[in-house]
Amino acid sequence: MDDRQVTEDRVLGGRVRLRQKADGYRAGMDAALLAAACDAMPGQRVLEPGCGVGGALLAAATRRPEAMFQGVERDSVAAALADENAALNGLSDRVAIVEGDVEAGFRALSLPVFDAVMANPPFFDDPAALRAPSPAKSGAWMADGGLKAWTGFCLKAVREGGTITLIHRADRLADILALLAPKAGSFRIRPIAPFADAPAKRVIVRAVKTGKAPLVLLPPLVLHDREGGKHSAQAEAILRGDAALGW
């Protein structure tokens, strides 16, 4: 891409350089939280469908230096930037990018199953739910096959006993649980609230394929203090890479 169409940003306390389109969907808080939720062990393989330019993928790879990561992205420009970003951060030996569409299913990638899958599925299934979305961002916000296609992809992509970690809108929690429940369990749910006295707007859901343990509702992560600080101390530590979003 023309450099005038791309910005270079720093995430994870400046440890990760991220080139991304100036006018497209840009990695932000959700990507940072998803990366912080990744707890891959040494030698494990992690897949992120819809990885975009690699905001979550590269932060997770930096946090987990002994794990291997695979990104899947249908947008060719974003996939090229993700590959470039992996090289820019010296991660090409552990981070691979392939073009592919969740709609086509996991088997279309011809990849072996993974130990873990992490994803930030598009938040909307219905175009009418968005108010005049920017064409450059609509692909990241709109799931053509709906949440069902994304959960189905994740379930196929992970081995038995492997984990699926999703960040999504809090009001879709019931749908996420219902879609994963036929083949996964041992749910652990982390609400993400803007303030301590406000309802959660996001949830991070962890499921284990074939897991049978009871559901656990974890304490919420509160992002901001009412006193006017940009982030709460806990959120700031997570965003800078000084703390993980534990399970």
Side-chain angles (χ1 to χ4, degrees):
M1 291 186 70
D2 187 326
D3 282 347
R4 292 172 297 181
Q5 299 175 293
V6 175
T7 64
E8 183 174 309
D9 305 293
R10 297 268 181 165
V11 299
L12 202 65
R15 293 158 63 193
V16 174
R17 298 164 63 187
L18 196 67
R19 286 172 56 81
Q20 49 189 337
K21 291 185 286 186
D23 64 347
Y25 177 81
R26 297 172 62 79
M29 178 69 76
D30 291 342
L33 295 176
L34 182 63
C38 176
D39 59 355
M41 302 297 290
Q44 289 193 326
R45 298 169 57 253
V46 183
L47 174 70
E48 186 191 4
C51 69
V53 301
L57 193 71
L58 297 175
T62 301
R63 285 175 172 273
R64 300 289 168 176
E66 297 183 61
M68 307 295 290
F69 291 82
Q70 174 76 63
V72 178
E73 176 54 49
R74 70 176 183 177
D75 180 272
S76 59
V77 174
L81 281 170
D83 193 54
E84 180 182 330
N85 285 329
L88 187 65
N89 289 279
L91 294 170
S92 295
D93 59 331
R94 293 192 298 112
V95 177
I97 309 298
V98 65
E99 284 190 45
D101 193 342
V102 166
E103 281 290 292
F106 176 71
R107 290 195 179 95
L109 299 176
S110 299
L111 293 171
V113 292
F114 288 77
D115 300 294
V117 179
M118 61 182 216
N120 179 11
F123 282 172
F124 300 96
D125 302 344
D126 179 7
L130 285 176
R131 299 182 198 173
S134 163
K137 298 180 181 180
S138 61
W141 285 97
M142 190 64 54
D144 294 339
L147 195 53
K148 183 177 181 180
W150 282 77
T151 52
F153 181 98
C154 292
L155 286 165
K156 290 288 187 183
V158 73
R159 62 171 173 80
E160 290 191 5
T163 60
I164 297 168
T165 305
L166 305 177
I167 185 167
H168 212 277
R169 290 162 36 201
D171 63 351
R172 296 300 303 274
L173 176 58
D175 297 324
I176 292 169
L177 297 179
L179 288 166
L180 290 174
K183 295 185 179 179
S186 303
F187 293 105
R188 300 181 75 86
I189 302 164
R190 176 82 66 182
I192 309 295
F195 299 99
D197 57 355
K201 291 190 175 182
R202 298 282 187 272
V203 287
I204 303 182
V205 178
R206 163 69 59 88
V208 177
K209 187 170 180 178
T210 68
K212 303 297 182 184
L215 182 150
V216 176
L217 183 61
L218 297 163
L221 171 64
V222 177
L223 297 179
H224 308 287
D225 295 322
R226 289 290 187 188
E227 285 71 23
K230 185 175 182 181
H231 297 115
S232 67
Q234 184 184 13
E236 183 66 22
I238 289 170
L239 293 174
R240 293 187 61 82
D242 297 331
L245 193 65
W247 294 104

